[in-house]
Amino acid sequence: GALRGLNDEDLLKVVVAYEPVWAIGTGRVATPEQAQEVHAFIRATAREANDAFADSLRILYGGSVKGDNAAGGYLATRHLIEQGHRRIAILEGPRKYKTLTERIEGYVRALDEAQLALDPLLMVKPIAGSPRKGYVETQELLSRPRAQWPTAIFAVSDKSALGALDALKDAIDAL
């Protein structure tokens, strides 16, 4: 997965911070039982890779970060543009969450400012309810002819970003 290649010292520094998708921007919080269930799942998944890593893994449940999401989307996309990327895909997520739509607005503003067109080939119809949505959406991008591949991917959520990383790693391994 996404942590392959980290040495034991670096693995001990890993922190998994998460928030359920249904809680993003809603003010709703998980019950202690729900949080414990997710913690157990994350730790069990980590244990598949390495027992010592799973035992030392710090897992944090937290509420939404109350930042300026539009500015975050803008700055992240502008950074990619400054690095020379011109084909920046977006993994959007559900538009029912204000935090995610604000990040999309920032992405669009950065593209517009750089006079880059919003390319429908760099957008994937969001998949709702799939725990592997970022993975599946990135696979969709990579199933297209190479000339249509993005040089960077902007994911509006951590969950989508982690899925994208796993899909990219699997694609590289398959080459």
Side-chain angles (χ1 to χ4, degrees):
L3 301 176
R4 185 170 292 142
L6 292 181
N7 62 38
D8 289 343
E9 183 180 331
D10 289 335
L11 280 174
L12 294 175
K13 297 175 187 174
V14 171
V15 176
V16 173
Y18 74 95
E19 177 181 22
V21 171
W22 52 261
I24 297 171
T26 66
R28 295 173 43 207
V29 296
T31 65
E33 294 79 18
Q34 289 169 321
Q36 287 173 352
E37 181 180 340
V38 172
H39 282 224
F41 172 78
I42 292 169
R43 199 165 305 281
T45 301
R47 192 164 309 285
E48 292 174 11
N50 180 306
D51 284 338
F53 166 62
D55 292 338
S56 67
L57 182 62
R58 291 171 287 168
I59 304 171
L60 305 174
Y61 169 82
S64 292
V65 174
K66 303 290 188 220
D68 182 339
N69 288 292
Y74 169 80
L75 291 171
T77 306
R78 190 176 80 184
H79 172 76
L80 294 171
I81 293 167
E82 289 170 354
Q83 297 304 306
H85 294 283
R86 296 296 178 265
R87 296 189 48 75
I88 305 168
I90 183 168
L91 303 184
E92 296 184 48
R95 294 218 175 207
K96 65 183 177 181
Y97 300 115
K98 184 179 180 197
T99 54
L100 302 184
T101 58
E102 289 172 349
R103 293 172 192 163
I104 295 166
E105 290 167 8
Y107 164 85
V108 170
R109 185 166 59 99
L111 290 180
D112 186 55
E113 186 178 275
Q115 298 180 342
L116 296 173
L118 191 59
D119 186 345
L121 293 174
L122 297 173
M123 303 168 79
V124 179
K125 182 179 178 190
I127 298 169
S130 170
R132 295 178 46 93
K133 64 179 268 9
Y135 185 93
V136 174
E137 291 168 352
T138 301
Q139 283 186 318
E140 166 65 25
L141 287 167
L142 298 177
S143 72
R144 299 172 182 171
R146 283 191 186 224
Q148 295 176 3
W149 282 12
T151 60
I153 298 174
F154 172 66
V156 298
S157 72
D158 292 346
K159 185 176 183 179
S160 291
L162 290 172
L165 286 171
D166 281 342
L168 290 168
K169 192 224 167 290
D170 287 351
I172 290 168
D173 287 348
L175 293 177

